[in-house]
């Protein structure tokens, strides 16, 4: 490879890296300026193309983020100039550029709060409740994660055309509903924040235990969700549940290296805890402490994410699986069932009770759940027979356990998980642990 080709490749890699880091702030700042998310993304893409054309020959600028923003703003002015209905805005923006105020605001990031406010607004737009959960996830990963439509499609095992359509429809919906580029306050903020956190959690869970496909995990999704949770924690330091979610994801992510052995999943109680990432665990503990302190400052009990983080922390504190305080975990699930009741929470509680009080107690809860109206939602949920099979195996009821594992294998759409469940179905000496959902 020639020296010129090597330099070009270095410049392209630099563009890719800068784009992944700067694109959320770039789109956020442009959206504030033009008040149209779709137009803002187009302008950001135009700036990216300009960087791909110019940086290989001219070199990477000292402040690449500012270069992209200044380029995009100039293109915004050109676009506005071509539209006579925006004459007044053109005059305002042109005056700012003449004075050097427009470019200077981004050449030296001396006012990080402006950028952060824009980014926070973009988070709330991407996760607005008027959008479907699928659209929120796609738009969030596109704008805040910097993923391409192809990357998002591969992550969720849908076609690229489907993802592109979701994103286009989401932008149209936001425009049609005239969603303001602002962070809401009061009750509306609480409702919208719940939507934001739900999407980030959804993205992480899809990466942590993939719904379908060949792979047990999709690390890229976990990394993006964790990064978004950290961004939110920095932008909203007084919100307890923001820190609770960050704590949960930090601790969950700490287990990633131990969760597979080749392509085969490794259950929680069989994992080599020496491979758990202690730095992420410490970060998780610190975020959990911030969540608890913020909740105390507001005089409110821990929220659902903080409670799940406390459960994950209980596992992280146990250097050996035998040291796990299952009674404390069961109590935390009881609190979680009050704050965020769901059949999945009850299934997790049954697992914890089964570990704390014995498999018979856990099985009684699982069977009661399956027979209840709420349990009807778990009829096709593969983890219900998986948990039941584990409890039956521990009671020595091997034939029944094998049938439950086989049923669970038939229900899952994940190839790696199906392999594990079929292995358990074929063996009377089932490995300890459970396939119950995290944490």
């Amino acid at each position: 490879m020639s020296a010129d080709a090597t330099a070009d490749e270095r410049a392209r890699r630099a563009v890719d890296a800068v784009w992944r880091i700067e694109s959320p702030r770039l789109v956020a700042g442009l959206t504030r300026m033009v008040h149209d998310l779709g137009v803002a993304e187009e302008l950001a893409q135009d700036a990216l193309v300009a960087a791909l054309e110019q940086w290989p020959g001219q070199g990477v600028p000292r402040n690449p983020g500012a270069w992209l923003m200044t380029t995009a703003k100039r293109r915004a002015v050109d676009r506005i100039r071509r539209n006579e209905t925006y004459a007044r805005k053109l005059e305002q923006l042109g005056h700012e550029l003449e004075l050097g105020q427009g470019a200077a605001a981004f050449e030296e990031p001396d006012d990080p709060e402006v950028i952060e406010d824009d980014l926070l607004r973009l988070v709330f737009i991407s996760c607005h409740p008027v959008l479907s959960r699928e659209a929120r996830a796609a738009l969030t990963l596109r704008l805040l994660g910097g993923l391409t439509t192809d990357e998002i499609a591969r992550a969720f095992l849908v076609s690229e055309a489907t993802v592109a359509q979701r994103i286009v429809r989401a932008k149209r919906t936001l425009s049609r509903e005239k969603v303001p580029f602002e962070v809401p306050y009061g009750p509306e903020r609480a409702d919208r924040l719940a939507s934001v956190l739900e999407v980030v959690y959804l993205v992480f869970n899809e990466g942590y235990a993939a719904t379908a496909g060949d792979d047990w995990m999709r690390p890229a999704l976990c990394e993006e969700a964790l990064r978004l949770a950290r961004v939110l924690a920095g932008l909203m330091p007084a919100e307890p549940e923001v820190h609770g979610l960050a704590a949960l994801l930090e601790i969950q992510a700490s287990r990633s290296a131990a969760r597979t052995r080749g392509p085969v999943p490794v259950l929680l109680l069989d994992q080599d805890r020496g491979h758990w990432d202690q730095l992420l665990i410490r970060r998780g503990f610190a975020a959990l402490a911030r969540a608890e302190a913020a909740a105390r400052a507001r005089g409110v009990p821990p929220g659902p994410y903080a409670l799940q983080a406390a459960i994950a922390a209980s596992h992280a504190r146990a250097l050996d699986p035998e040291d796990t305080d299952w009674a404390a975990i069961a109590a935390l699930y009881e609190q979680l069932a009050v704050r965020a009741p769901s059949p999945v929470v009850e299934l997790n509680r049954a697992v914890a009770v089964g570990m704390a009080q014995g498999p018979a107690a856990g099985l009684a809860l699982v069977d009661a759940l399956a027979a209840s109206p709420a349990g009807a939602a778990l009829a096709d949920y593969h983890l219900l027979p998986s948990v039941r099979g584990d409890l039956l195996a521990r009671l020595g009821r091997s034939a029944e356990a094998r049938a439950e594992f086989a049923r669970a294998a038939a229900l899952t759409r994940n190839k790696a998980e199906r392999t594990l469940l079929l292995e358990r179905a074929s063996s009377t000496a089932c490995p300890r642990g459970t396939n119950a959902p995290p944490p």
Side-chain angles (χ1 to χ4, degrees), residues 183-241:
V183 177
Y185 294 92
E188 184 184 358
R189 176 168 178 166
D191 293 341
R192 294 270 294 278
L193 179 59
S195 175
V196 170
L197 299 182
E198 179 189 31
V199 167
V200 176
Y201 189 43
L202 170 70
V203 171
F204 183 87
N205 276 349
E206 184 60 31
Y208 193 74
T211 303
D214 295 341
D215 299 322
W216 172 236
M217 295 183 65
R218 297 194 177 92
L221 282 182
C222 291
E223 291 168 4
E224 289 301 329
L226 182 55
R227 186 178 69 83
L228 292 176
R230 290 170 178 169
V231 168
L232 283 171
L235 295 176
M236 307 180 74
E239 293 289 345
E241 278 291 78

Short mmCIF file of all heavy atoms in Angstrom, two decimals, residues 183-241:
data_model
loop_
_atom_site.label_atom_id
_atom_site.label_comp_id
_atom_site.label_asym_id
_atom_site.label_seq_id
_atom_site.Cartn_x
_atom_site.Cartn_y
_atom_site.Cartn_z
N VAL A 183 -36.83 19.74 26.45
CA VAL A 183 -36.95 18.77 27.54
C VAL A 183 -38.19 19.13 28.34
O VAL A 183 -38.30 20.26 28.84
CB VAL A 183 -35.71 18.79 28.44
CG1 VAL A 183 -35.88 17.83 29.61
CG2 VAL A 183 -34.46 18.44 27.64
N PRO A 184 -39.16 18.23 28.47
CA PRO A 184 -40.38 18.55 29.22
C PRO A 184 -40.11 18.65 30.72
O PRO A 184 -39.07 18.19 31.21
CB PRO A 184 -41.30 17.38 28.90
CG PRO A 184 -40.37 16.25 28.61
CD PRO A 184 -39.17 16.86 27.94
N TYR A 185 -41.05 19.20 31.44
CA TYR A 185 -40.93 19.36 32.87
C TYR A 185 -42.18 18.84 33.56
O TYR A 185 -43.21 18.61 32.93
CB TYR A 185 -40.69 20.84 33.23
CG TYR A 185 -39.37 21.35 32.73
CD1 TYR A 185 -39.28 21.96 31.48
CD2 TYR A 185 -38.22 21.19 33.47
CE1 TYR A 185 -38.06 22.41 30.99
CE2 TYR A 185 -36.99 21.63 32.99
CZ TYR A 185 -36.92 22.25 31.76
OH TYR A 185 -35.71 22.67 31.27
N GLY A 186 -42.08 18.66 34.88
CA GLY A 186 -43.21 18.21 35.66
C GLY A 186 -43.63 16.79 35.32
O GLY A 186 -42.81 15.95 34.95
N PRO A 187 -44.93 16.49 35.42
CA PRO A 187 -45.42 15.13 35.16
C PRO A 187 -45.07 14.63 33.77
O PRO A 187 -44.78 13.46 33.58
CB PRO A 187 -46.95 15.28 35.34
CG PRO A 187 -47.12 16.47 36.21
CD PRO A 187 -46.01 17.41 35.86
N GLU A 188 -45.10 15.53 32.77
CA GLU A 188 -44.78 15.11 31.41
C GLU A 188 -43.33 14.64 31.33
O GLU A 188 -43.02 13.67 30.62
CB GLU A 188 -45.01 16.26 30.43
CG GLU A 188 -44.78 15.83 28.97
CD GLU A 188 -44.91 16.98 28.00
OE1 GLU A 188 -45.21 18.10 28.44
OE2 GLU A 188 -44.68 16.75 26.80
N ARG A 189 -42.45 15.31 32.05
CA ARG A 189 -41.05 14.90 32.04
C ARG A 189 -40.89 13.50 32.62
O ARG A 189 -40.14 12.68 32.08
CB ARG A 189 -40.20 15.89 32.82
CG ARG A 189 -38.75 15.49 32.92
CD ARG A 189 -37.89 16.61 33.44
NE ARG A 189 -36.50 16.23 33.59
CZ ARG A 189 -35.51 17.08 33.76
NH1 ARG A 189 -35.77 18.37 33.81
NH2 ARG A 189 -34.29 16.67 33.89
N ALA A 190 -41.58 13.22 33.72
CA ALA A 190 -41.50 11.90 34.32
C ALA A 190 -41.99 10.84 33.35
O ALA A 190 -41.37 9.77 33.21
CB ALA A 190 -42.32 11.86 35.61
N ASP A 191 -43.10 11.13 32.64
CA ASP A 191 -43.61 10.17 31.67
C ASP A 191 -42.63 9.96 30.52
O ASP A 191 -42.39 8.83 30.08
CB ASP A 191 -44.96 10.64 31.12
CG ASP A 191 -46.04 10.64 32.18
OD1 ASP A 191 -45.86 9.96 33.20
OD2 ASP A 191 -47.06 11.34 31.99
N ARG A 192 -42.08 11.05 30.03
CA ARG A 192 -41.16 10.95 28.89
C ARG A 192 -39.85 10.29 29.31
O ARG A 192 -39.26 9.54 28.54
CB ARG A 192 -40.90 12.35 28.33
CG ARG A 192 -42.10 13.01 27.69
CD ARG A 192 -42.20 12.69 26.22
NE ARG A 192 -41.11 13.29 25.51
CZ ARG A 192 -41.05 14.56 25.09
NH1 ARG A 192 -42.04 15.38 25.36
NH2 ARG A 192 -40.01 14.99 24.41
N LEU A 193 -39.39 10.57 30.53
CA LEU A 193 -38.15 9.96 31.00
C LEU A 193 -38.32 8.45 31.08
O LEU A 193 -37.40 7.69 30.73
CB LEU A 193 -37.75 10.52 32.36
CG LEU A 193 -36.47 9.93 32.97
CD1 LEU A 193 -35.28 10.13 32.05
CD2 LEU A 193 -36.21 10.53 34.35
N ALA A 194 -39.48 7.99 31.53
CA ALA A 194 -39.73 6.56 31.58
C ALA A 194 -39.59 5.93 30.20
O ALA A 194 -39.05 4.83 30.04
CB ALA A 194 -41.13 6.29 32.16
N SER A 195 -40.06 6.64 29.17
CA SER A 195 -39.94 6.16 27.80
C SER A 195 -38.47 6.08 27.37
O SER A 195 -38.04 5.12 26.74
CB SER A 195 -40.72 7.08 26.86
OG SER A 195 -40.54 6.71 25.51
N VAL A 196 -37.71 7.11 27.72
CA VAL A 196 -36.29 7.14 27.38
C VAL A 196 -35.56 5.95 28.02
O VAL A 196 -34.83 5.22 27.35
CB VAL A 196 -35.66 8.47 27.85
CG1 VAL A 196 -34.14 8.41 27.74
CG2 VAL A 196 -36.21 9.63 27.05
N LEU A 197 -35.77 5.76 29.31
CA LEU A 197 -35.08 4.69 30.02
C LEU A 197 -35.51 3.32 29.50
O LEU A 197 -34.69 2.39 29.41
CB LEU A 197 -35.35 4.80 31.52
CG LEU A 197 -34.88 6.09 32.19
CD1 LEU A 197 -35.16 6.05 33.69
CD2 LEU A 197 -33.40 6.35 31.93
N GLU A 198 -36.78 3.19 29.16
CA GLU A 198 -37.27 1.92 28.65
C GLU A 198 -36.56 1.53 27.35
O GLU A 198 -36.19 0.37 27.16
CB GLU A 198 -38.79 1.99 28.41
CG GLU A 198 -39.37 0.70 27.84
CD GLU A 198 -40.81 0.87 27.40
OE1 GLU A 198 -41.19 1.98 26.99
OE2 GLU A 198 -41.54 -0.12 27.47
N VAL A 199 -36.37 2.50 26.47
CA VAL A 199 -35.72 2.20 25.19
C VAL A 199 -34.27 1.80 25.41
O VAL A 199 -33.78 0.83 24.81
CB VAL A 199 -35.82 3.41 24.24
CG1 VAL A 199 -34.89 3.24 23.06
CG2 VAL A 199 -37.24 3.57 23.76
N VAL A 200 -33.56 2.52 26.26
CA VAL A 200 -32.16 2.17 26.52
C VAL A 200 -32.07 0.77 27.12
O VAL A 200 -31.21 -0.04 26.74
CB VAL A 200 -31.50 3.21 27.45
CG1 VAL A 200 -30.08 2.79 27.80
CG2 VAL A 200 -31.49 4.59 26.78
N TYR A 201 -32.97 0.46 28.05
CA TYR A 201 -33.00 -0.87 28.67
C TYR A 201 -33.34 -1.93 27.64
O TYR A 201 -32.75 -3.03 27.63
CB TYR A 201 -34.03 -0.85 29.79
CG TYR A 201 -34.04 -2.08 30.67
CD1 TYR A 201 -32.87 -2.67 31.12
CD2 TYR A 201 -35.25 -2.64 31.09
CE1 TYR A 201 -32.89 -3.78 31.94
CE2 TYR A 201 -35.28 -3.75 31.92
CZ TYR A 201 -34.09 -4.32 32.34
OH TYR A 201 -34.11 -5.42 33.15
N LEU A 202 -34.29 -1.64 26.74
CA LEU A 202 -34.66 -2.57 25.69
C LEU A 202 -33.47 -2.89 24.80
O LEU A 202 -33.21 -4.05 24.46
CB LEU A 202 -35.80 -1.98 24.86
CG LEU A 202 -36.18 -2.70 23.56
CD1 LEU A 202 -36.83 -4.03 23.88
CD2 LEU A 202 -37.13 -1.84 22.72
N VAL A 203 -32.74 -1.86 24.41
CA VAL A 203 -31.57 -2.06 23.55
C VAL A 203 -30.53 -2.92 24.26
O VAL A 203 -29.96 -3.86 23.67
CB VAL A 203 -30.97 -0.70 23.14
CG1 VAL A 203 -29.63 -0.89 22.44
CG2 VAL A 203 -31.93 0.05 22.22
N PHE A 204 -30.27 -2.62 25.54
CA PHE A 204 -29.28 -3.41 26.28
C PHE A 204 -29.71 -4.87 26.38
O PHE A 204 -28.91 -5.79 26.15
CB PHE A 204 -29.07 -2.84 27.68
CG PHE A 204 -28.02 -3.57 28.46
CD1 PHE A 204 -26.68 -3.21 28.37
CD2 PHE A 204 -28.36 -4.65 29.28
CE1 PHE A 204 -25.70 -3.90 29.07
CE2 PHE A 204 -27.39 -5.35 29.99
CZ PHE A 204 -26.06 -4.97 29.88
N ASN A 205 -30.96 -5.11 26.73
CA ASN A 205 -31.43 -6.49 26.91
C ASN A 205 -31.35 -7.28 25.62
O ASN A 205 -31.06 -8.48 25.64
CB ASN A 205 -32.86 -6.49 27.44
CG ASN A 205 -32.90 -6.34 28.95
OD1 ASN A 205 -31.87 -6.41 29.62
ND2 ASN A 205 -34.08 -6.09 29.48
N GLU A 206 -31.61 -6.62 24.49
CA GLU A 206 -31.51 -7.33 23.22
C GLU A 206 -30.07 -7.73 22.94
O GLU A 206 -29.80 -8.77 22.33
CB GLU A 206 -32.07 -6.47 22.08
CG GLU A 206 -32.10 -7.16 20.73
CD GLU A 206 -32.94 -8.43 20.71
OE1 GLU A 206 -33.92 -8.52 21.46
OE2 GLU A 206 -32.59 -9.34 19.93
N GLY A 207 -29.13 -6.91 23.38
CA GLY A 207 -27.72 -7.26 23.22
C GLY A 207 -27.25 -8.28 24.24
O GLY A 207 -26.40 -9.12 23.95
N TYR A 208 -27.84 -8.24 25.43
CA TYR A 208 -27.39 -9.11 26.53
C TYR A 208 -27.91 -10.54 26.37
O TYR A 208 -27.20 -11.50 26.69
CB TYR A 208 -27.91 -8.52 27.85
CG TYR A 208 -27.29 -9.10 29.09
CD1 TYR A 208 -25.99 -8.78 29.47
CD2 TYR A 208 -28.02 -9.95 29.92
CE1 TYR A 208 -25.42 -9.29 30.62
CE2 TYR A 208 -27.45 -10.48 31.07
CZ TYR A 208 -26.16 -10.15 31.42
OH TYR A 208 -25.60 -10.66 32.56
N ALA A 209 -29.12 -10.68 25.88
CA ALA A 209 -29.71 -12.01 25.65
C ALA A 209 -30.58 -11.89 24.41
O ALA A 209 -31.77 -11.55 24.50
CB ALA A 209 -30.51 -12.48 26.85
N ALA A 210 -29.99 -12.13 23.25
CA ALA A 210 -30.66 -11.87 21.98
C ALA A 210 -31.93 -12.69 21.85
O ALA A 210 -31.97 -13.88 22.18
CB ALA A 210 -29.72 -12.18 20.82
N THR A 211 -32.98 -12.06 21.36
CA THR A 211 -34.27 -12.72 21.20
C THR A 211 -34.20 -13.86 20.20
O THR A 211 -34.80 -14.92 20.38
CB THR A 211 -35.33 -11.71 20.75
OG1 THR A 211 -35.39 -10.65 21.69
CG2 THR A 211 -36.69 -12.36 20.63
N ALA A 212 -33.46 -13.65 19.12
CA ALA A 212 -33.41 -14.64 18.04
C ALA A 212 -32.04 -14.60 17.38
O ALA A 212 -31.20 -13.75 17.69
CB ALA A 212 -34.52 -14.35 17.02
N GLY A 213 -31.83 -15.56 16.48
CA GLY A 213 -30.56 -15.60 15.75
C GLY A 213 -29.61 -16.65 16.29
O GLY A 213 -29.96 -17.48 17.13
N ASP A 214 -28.37 -16.61 15.81
CA ASP A 214 -27.38 -17.62 16.17
C ASP A 214 -26.62 -17.28 17.44
O ASP A 214 -26.12 -18.18 18.13
CB ASP A 214 -26.37 -17.79 15.02
CG ASP A 214 -27.02 -18.36 13.76
OD1 ASP A 214 -28.11 -18.94 13.88
OD2 ASP A 214 -26.45 -18.20 12.67
N ASP A 215 -26.47 -16.01 17.73
CA ASP A 215 -25.60 -15.58 18.82
C ASP A 215 -26.39 -15.34 20.10
O ASP A 215 -27.49 -14.77 20.08
CB ASP A 215 -24.85 -14.29 18.44
CG ASP A 215 -23.96 -14.49 17.22
OD1 ASP A 215 -23.37 -15.57 17.11
OD2 ASP A 215 -23.88 -13.58 16.39
N TRP A 216 -25.80 -15.75 21.22
CA TRP A 216 -26.40 -15.55 22.54
C TRP A 216 -26.38 -14.07 22.92
O TRP A 216 -27.31 -13.56 23.52
CB TRP A 216 -25.60 -16.37 23.54
CG TRP A 216 -25.90 -16.19 25.00
CD1 TRP A 216 -25.02 -15.86 25.97
CD2 TRP A 216 -27.15 -16.39 25.67
NE1 TRP A 216 -25.63 -15.82 27.20
CE2 TRP A 216 -26.95 -16.14 27.04
CE3 TRP A 216 -28.44 -16.73 25.23
CZ2 TRP A 216 -27.97 -16.23 27.99
CZ3 TRP A 216 -29.46 -16.82 26.18
CH2 TRP A 216 -29.22 -16.58 27.53
N MET A 217 -25.30 -13.37 22.54
CA MET A 217 -25.16 -11.95 22.88
C MET A 217 -24.82 -11.15 21.63
O MET A 217 -24.27 -11.70 20.66
CB MET A 217 -24.05 -11.75 23.93
CG MET A 217 -24.33 -12.36 25.28
SD MET A 217 -22.99 -11.97 26.44
CE MET A 217 -23.16 -10.18 26.56
N ARG A 218 -25.14 -9.85 21.69
CA ARG A 218 -24.71 -8.90 20.66
C ARG A 218 -24.02 -7.75 21.39
O ARG A 218 -24.65 -6.76 21.76
CB ARG A 218 -25.92 -8.40 19.86
CG ARG A 218 -26.62 -9.52 19.10
CD ARG A 218 -27.58 -8.99 18.07
NE ARG A 218 -28.17 -10.09 17.33
CZ ARG A 218 -29.32 -10.68 17.66
NH1 ARG A 218 -30.00 -10.24 18.69
NH2 ARG A 218 -29.78 -11.69 16.96
N PRO A 219 -22.73 -7.87 21.63
CA PRO A 219 -22.01 -6.91 22.47
C PRO A 219 -22.14 -5.47 22.02
O PRO A 219 -22.17 -4.56 22.86
CB PRO A 219 -20.56 -7.39 22.38
CG PRO A 219 -20.66 -8.86 22.08
CD PRO A 219 -21.86 -8.99 21.18
N ALA A 220 -22.23 -5.23 20.71
CA ALA A 220 -22.31 -3.85 20.22
C ALA A 220 -23.54 -3.14 20.77
O ALA A 220 -23.48 -1.95 21.13
CB ALA A 220 -22.32 -3.82 18.70
N LEU A 221 -24.67 -3.86 20.87
CA LEU A 221 -25.88 -3.25 21.41
C LEU A 221 -25.71 -2.94 22.89
O LEU A 221 -26.14 -1.89 23.37
CB LEU A 221 -27.08 -4.17 21.21
CG LEU A 221 -27.70 -4.22 19.81
CD1 LEU A 221 -28.91 -5.14 19.80
CD2 LEU A 221 -28.11 -2.83 19.34
N CYS A 222 -25.09 -3.86 23.62
CA CYS A 222 -24.83 -3.61 25.05
C CYS A 222 -23.96 -2.37 25.22
O CYS A 222 -24.22 -1.53 26.10
CB CYS A 222 -24.14 -4.82 25.69
SG CYS A 222 -25.18 -6.28 25.84
N GLU A 223 -22.93 -2.26 24.41
CA GLU A 223 -22.01 -1.12 24.53
C GLU A 223 -22.73 0.19 24.23
O GLU A 223 -22.52 1.20 24.93
CB GLU A 223 -20.84 -1.31 23.58
CG GLU A 223 -19.91 -2.46 23.98
CD GLU A 223 -18.93 -2.82 22.89
OE1 GLU A 223 -18.92 -2.12 21.85
OE2 GLU A 223 -18.18 -3.81 23.06
N GLU A 224 -23.57 0.21 23.20
CA GLU A 224 -24.28 1.44 22.85
C GLU A 224 -25.26 1.83 23.95
O GLU A 224 -25.38 3.01 24.32
CB GLU A 224 -25.02 1.27 21.53
CG GLU A 224 -24.12 1.22 20.31
CD GLU A 224 -23.27 2.47 20.15
OE1 GLU A 224 -23.72 3.56 20.56
OE2 GLU A 224 -22.16 2.36 19.64
N ALA A 225 -25.99 0.85 24.48
CA ALA A 225 -26.95 1.15 25.54
C ALA A 225 -26.23 1.65 26.79
O ALA A 225 -26.69 2.60 27.45
CB ALA A 225 -27.77 -0.09 25.87
N LEU A 226 -25.10 1.03 27.12
CA LEU A 226 -24.34 1.46 28.30
C LEU A 226 -23.83 2.88 28.10
O LEU A 226 -23.87 3.71 29.02
CB LEU A 226 -23.19 0.49 28.55
CG LEU A 226 -22.32 0.76 29.77
CD1 LEU A 226 -23.16 0.84 31.03
CD2 LEU A 226 -21.26 -0.34 29.91
N ARG A 227 -23.37 3.19 26.90
CA ARG A 227 -22.89 4.54 26.62
C ARG A 227 -24.03 5.56 26.76
O ARG A 227 -23.86 6.63 27.35
CB ARG A 227 -22.30 4.61 25.21
CG ARG A 227 -21.64 5.95 24.89
CD ARG A 227 -21.02 5.95 23.51
NE ARG A 227 -22.02 5.90 22.46
CZ ARG A 227 -22.67 6.98 22.01
NH1 ARG A 227 -22.45 8.16 22.55
NH2 ARG A 227 -23.56 6.87 21.05
N LEU A 228 -25.21 5.21 26.24
CA LEU A 228 -26.35 6.12 26.35
C LEU A 228 -26.75 6.31 27.81
O LEU A 228 -27.11 7.43 28.23
CB LEU A 228 -27.53 5.57 25.55
CG LEU A 228 -27.37 5.55 24.03
CD1 LEU A 228 -28.57 4.87 23.39
CD2 LEU A 228 -27.18 6.94 23.48
N ALA A 229 -26.71 5.24 28.60
CA ALA A 229 -27.05 5.36 30.02
C ALA A 229 -26.06 6.28 30.74
O ALA A 229 -26.46 7.08 31.60
CB ALA A 229 -27.06 3.98 30.67
N ARG A 230 -24.79 6.17 30.38
CA ARG A 230 -23.80 7.06 31.00
C ARG A 230 -24.03 8.51 30.60
O ARG A 230 -23.88 9.42 31.42
CB ARG A 230 -22.39 6.61 30.59
CG ARG A 230 -21.96 5.30 31.21
CD ARG A 230 -20.67 4.79 30.57
NE ARG A 230 -20.21 3.56 31.19
CZ ARG A 230 -19.23 2.79 30.68
NH1 ARG A 230 -18.65 3.15 29.53
NH2 ARG A 230 -18.86 1.69 31.30
N VAL A 231 -24.38 8.72 29.32
CA VAL A 231 -24.67 10.09 28.86
C VAL A 231 -25.84 10.66 29.64
O VAL A 231 -25.80 11.80 30.13
CB VAL A 231 -24.98 10.09 27.35
CG1 VAL A 231 -25.56 11.43 26.92
CG2 VAL A 231 -23.71 9.79 26.55
N LEU A 232 -26.90 9.88 29.79
CA LEU A 232 -28.08 10.34 30.52
C LEU A 232 -27.73 10.66 31.97
O LEU A 232 -28.20 11.65 32.53
CB LEU A 232 -29.18 9.28 30.47
CG LEU A 232 -29.97 9.18 29.17
CD1 LEU A 232 -30.87 7.95 29.20
CD2 LEU A 232 -30.81 10.43 28.95
N ALA A 233 -26.91 9.81 32.59
CA ALA A 233 -26.54 10.04 33.99
C ALA A 233 -25.77 11.35 34.13
O ALA A 233 -25.92 12.06 35.13
CB ALA A 233 -25.71 8.87 34.51
N GLY A 234 -24.95 11.67 33.13
CA GLY A 234 -24.23 12.94 33.16
C GLY A 234 -25.13 14.13 32.91
O GLY A 234 -24.92 15.21 33.48
N LEU A 235 -26.16 13.95 32.09
CA LEU A 235 -27.05 15.05 31.74
C LEU A 235 -28.13 15.29 32.79
O LEU A 235 -28.63 16.40 32.92
CB LEU A 235 -27.72 14.76 30.40
CG LEU A 235 -26.81 14.70 29.16
CD1 LEU A 235 -27.61 14.30 27.94
CD2 LEU A 235 -26.12 16.03 28.93
N MET A 236 -28.49 14.25 33.54
CA MET A 236 -29.59 14.37 34.49
C MET A 236 -29.15 13.83 35.86
O MET A 236 -29.66 12.81 36.34
CB MET A 236 -30.80 13.60 33.96
CG MET A 236 -31.21 13.98 32.55
SD MET A 236 -32.63 13.07 31.92
CE MET A 236 -33.95 13.84 32.84
N PRO A 237 -28.20 14.50 36.50
CA PRO A 237 -27.61 13.96 37.74
C PRO A 237 -28.56 13.90 38.93
O PRO A 237 -28.26 13.20 39.90
CB PRO A 237 -26.46 14.94 38.03
CG PRO A 237 -26.86 16.21 37.34
CD PRO A 237 -27.60 15.79 36.11
N ALA A 238 -29.69 14.58 38.88
CA ALA A 238 -30.62 14.57 40.02
C ALA A 238 -31.71 13.51 39.88
O ALA A 238 -32.54 13.37 40.77
CB ALA A 238 -31.26 15.94 40.18
N GLU A 239 -31.72 12.76 38.77
CA GLU A 239 -32.77 11.77 38.53
C GLU A 239 -32.34 10.40 39.07
O GLU A 239 -31.43 9.78 38.52
CB GLU A 239 -33.08 11.67 37.03
CG GLU A 239 -33.71 12.91 36.43
CD GLU A 239 -35.15 13.09 36.92
OE1 GLU A 239 -35.72 12.13 37.47
OE2 GLU A 239 -35.69 14.20 36.74
N PRO A 240 -32.99 9.89 40.12
CA PRO A 240 -32.56 8.61 40.71
C PRO A 240 -32.57 7.45 39.73
O PRO A 240 -31.64 6.64 39.69
CB PRO A 240 -33.58 8.39 41.83
CG PRO A 240 -34.14 9.74 42.14
CD PRO A 240 -34.11 10.49 40.85
N GLU A 241 -33.63 7.35 38.92
CA GLU A 241 -33.74 6.19 38.05
C GLU A 241 -32.75 6.20 36.89
O GLU A 241 -32.42 5.15 36.35
CB GLU A 241 -35.17 6.06 37.52
CG GLU A 241 -36.12 5.39 38.48
CD GLU A 241 -35.80 3.91 38.66
OE1 GLU A 241 -34.84 3.59 39.40
OE2 GLU A 241 -36.50 3.07 38.07
#
